[in-house]
Amino acid sequence: MTTAAEAPPRAGLLHIGAVCRRLREEFPDVSISKIRYLEDQGLLAPERTQGGYRLFDEDAVERLRTILRMQRDQFLPLRVIRQELASPTAGKQRRRRAAGLAGPEEELEASELVERSGATPQLVRELEEYGLLEARGNGGEKRYAAADAEIGAACAQLAGYGIAPRNLRAFRTAADRQAALLEQLLGPALQSRNPERRQAALEDLRSLAELGQELSQQLFWRALRQLASP
């Protein structure tokens, strides 16, 4: 006998049990209770039948898949996942940075940097000392690249876990080494007075930057997964 819970959904929509079965090949631990919990946390908003049963369309399933990947691959807490999903530009952030390599960059005063990043003035000074932030000018004339606000924000959050700026120098060193490698490959072309050659080098730099960042991230997650393994 078919129950109301088992009644077939409208075309293109899936009941929660079907969603679980569909995702278990990639996420063996996914369960109905976990999906319900993510809904309770405001990360999912499936449709409802008159009887109150959840119905998921393709967009909802893909959103759930994205959430599960963020948890599994990036170890992101739900609060951060919620912010990422709420931001219309979050998925494009890395590509936008690469695309803006050759363009002018917004500059911030010290007070603006503090406001945007959430870092205290003391933390900003320490981050400068260890090369994580780079100021232009001195005293009240200091200016920072807009990207430094994002760096400062990340460092401020890490400081909340007790990680001091001196312990973050390894990230700066690794970034400098990666940039030096790309400079060896593309430096002459980037300095060329030939517009076409320089433009081609910029395109290569954008592509290499994205690939290099992806490689660094994947190696980092692999190391963390090994660390987290029992």
Side-chain angles (χ1 to χ4, degrees):
M1 180 177 178
T2 301
T3 67
E6 296 169 338
R10 301 195 310 274
L13 299 178
L14 299 173
H15 284 308
I16 192 169
V19 172
C20 268
R21 291 190 294 272
R22 182 165 171 176
L23 294 176
R24 274 191 181 132
E25 182 176 352
E26 182 176 358
F27 308 100
D29 296 332
V30 70
S31 64
I32 289 176
S33 61
K34 180 175 180 64
I35 296 174
R36 287 173 176 166
Y37 174 73
L38 293 173
E39 181 185 358
D40 290 341
Q41 295 301 307
L43 290 160
L44 297 171
E47 295 184 32
R48 294 273 187 161
T49 67
Q50 290 184 350
Y53 297 109
R54 297 168 178 82
L55 294 176
F56 295 78
D57 61 15
E58 287 299 325
D59 288 341
V61 174
E62 188 57 34
R63 181 182 176 90
L64 175 57
R65 194 189 307 276
T66 298
I67 292 168
L68 295 174
R69 284 174 178 166
M70 286 180 170
Q71 287 186 305
R72 181 194 65 191
D73 299 340
Q74 302 180 37
F75 303 100
L76 295 180
L78 295 183
R79 174 182 58 81
V80 176
I81 292 175
R82 189 180 297 107
Q83 293 171 349
E84 287 287 317
L85 293 175
S87 172
T89 60
K92 302 176 182 177
Q93 186 176 47
R94 185 176 63 189
R95 188 172 297 277
R96 185 178 67 246
R97 288 175 184 164
L101 283 171
E105 189 170 15
E106 179 189 2
E107 289 194 342
L108 307 176
E109 296 181 356
S111 60
E112 292 177 302
L113 176 71
V114 168
E115 182 179 357
R116 288 197 191 184
S117 67
T120 65
Q122 174 62 31
L123 179 58
V124 168
R125 287 192 292 271
E126 292 181 25
L127 293 173
E128 279 188 56
E129 180 182 350
Y130 291 104
L132 291 147
L133 295 179
E134 293 183 341
R136 302 163 188 168
N138 297 299
E141 299 300 320
K142 280 187 177 181
R143 296 289 186 274
Y144 300 84
D148 276 8
E150 295 184 40
I151 294 172
C155 292
Q157 292 181 58
L158 289 167
Y161 288 91
I163 303 176
R166 66 176 179 274
N167 301 126
L168 299 175
R169 287 181 295 180
F171 291 91
R172 169 64 191 267
T173 300
D176 287 345
R177 288 176 177 171
Q178 292 170 10
L181 174 61
L182 299 189
E183 182 181 16
Q184 291 178 15
L185 294 171
L186 299 171
L190 289 170
Q191 300 302 319
S192 174
R193 295 184 178 181
N194 184 314
E196 293 182 357
R197 187 185 181 199
R198 173 172 165 73
Q199 184 59 39
L202 281 171
E203 293 297 329
D204 287 343
L205 182 60
R206 293 184 185 107
S207 297
L208 287 169
E210 291 186 7
L211 290 169
Q213 188 176 43
E214 179 68 21
L215 174 60
S216 296
Q217 186 180 61
Q218 293 303 327
L219 290 172
F220 185 50
W221 296 137
R222 185 181 70 183
L224 291 181
R225 283 193 292 270
Q226 292 172 348
L227 177 64
S229 297

